[in-house]
Amino acid sequence: MNIVLLGPPGVGKGTAAKLLSEKFKLPSIGTGDLLRAEIAKESGLGRRAQHYVDSGQLVPDELVTEMVKARLLQDDAKKGYFLDGYPRTTEQAKALKEFTTTDKVLNFVAPKKTIIERIRGRGEGRADDAPEVILRRINVYEEKTQPLIDFYRNERLLFDIDSTMNVDGVMKQCIEVLSEE
Ligand code: AP5
């Protein structure tokens, strides 16, 4: 079961991916988490990615695609995964299609006001949670990632999840979608 989680910053993708990972015993792979780990390690990739991540811009497609490809080749991802934060551009969606299949795309939907409140309420101290960077991330999402909604709708893989609900309500919807044939 290869599942992609799509949606704007702060909508709750990461939270749902981790809970779904526990429920379905498949890894949750968050590209933001992977990039932040590389930045913390000060690896070559981390050094190249840091400026983009901290300022709320997208890391260049080829860097992220290589990272995801390598991660999906690991043994624990062979039976499936919850991929959170990739693809984020049409180029990435096309690349993903070349190296693996996608079974379903969960499209997390909530108004801007809700996602801004959620990011402000998060206490992790991420550099990209600064108020001006939050707005840039939302703009980048609208410009680069939102077109993927149509991309995946055309592929008949898209399932909307009402992410204004509490975590239990969101999980219930995801599990229903994933349990359908
Ligand atoms: P990434 O880490 O993916 O950030 P994001 O997409 O902006 O998403 P967030 O982690 O902010 O939010 P989320 O939707 O996961 O919400 P969460 O569950 O945390 O990416 C960071 C950066 O990395 C990018 O800006 C870019 O630079 C780079 N990057 C990553 N992937 C890339 C790619 N493919 N290409 C290029 N660059 C890439 O929830 C938010 C808060 O709300 C939490 O406090 C949570 O507890 C709370 N919450 C969650 N669900 C609910 C609920 N149902 N009800 C109430 N509260 C809730």
Side-chain angles (χ1 to χ4, degrees), residues 52-125:
Y52 297 101
V53 173
D54 287 354
S55 61
Q57 301 172 70
L58 293 184
V59 174
D61 288 332
E62 58 279 11
L63 291 183
V64 187
T65 294
E66 280 313 305
M67 178 183 81
V68 170
K69 230 188 218 180
R71 180 62 188 87
L72 295 187
L73 281 174
Q74 289 176 20
D75 276 351
D76 66 335
K78 293 230 162 81
K79 286 193 183 144
Y81 49 78
F82 294 99
L83 187 53
D84 157 26
Y86 185 98
R88 253 176 158 100
T89 64
T90 307
E91 287 67 28
Q92 292 180 15
K94 288 178 183 162
L96 184 68
K97 210 174 160 181
E98 274 173 25
F99 63 82
T100 186
T101 54
T102 296
D103 296 312
K104 288 183 182 172
V105 176
L106 304 177
N107 178 40
F108 287 68
V109 184
K112 232 183 244 188
K113 187 169 166 283
T114 307
I115 65 179
I116 291 173
E117 276 166 12
R118 284 186 185 169
I119 297 175
R120 286 192 180 144
R122 174 162 64 188
E124 288 171 29

Side-chain angles (χ1 to χ4, degrees), residues 7-18 30-36 39 49-61 64-65 67-68 84-89 92 108 114-115 117-124 126 128-129 133 137-138 140-141 162-171:
V11 75
K13 307 178 297 294
T15 303
K18 287 178 184 91
T31 47
D33 294 335
L34 293 176
L35 288 166
R36 284 185 289 276
I39 291 169
Q50 179 157 22
H51 161 73
Y52 297 101
V53 173
D54 287 354
S55 61
Q57 301 172 70
L58 293 184
V59 174
D61 288 332
V64 187
T65 294
M67 178 183 81
V68 170
D84 157 26
Y86 185 98
R88 253 176 158 100
T89 64
Q92 292 180 15
F108 287 68
T114 307
I115 65 179
E117 276 166 12
R118 284 186 185 169
I119 297 175
R120 286 192 180 144
R122 174 162 64 188
E124 288 171 29
R126 273 170 51 173
D128 63 345
D129 280 352
V133 185
R137 285 162 60 203
I138 292 173
V140 168
Y141 167 77
D162 174 2
S163 199
T164 61
M165 299 182 89
N166 64 20
V167 174
D168 287 348
V170 168
M171 281 298 288

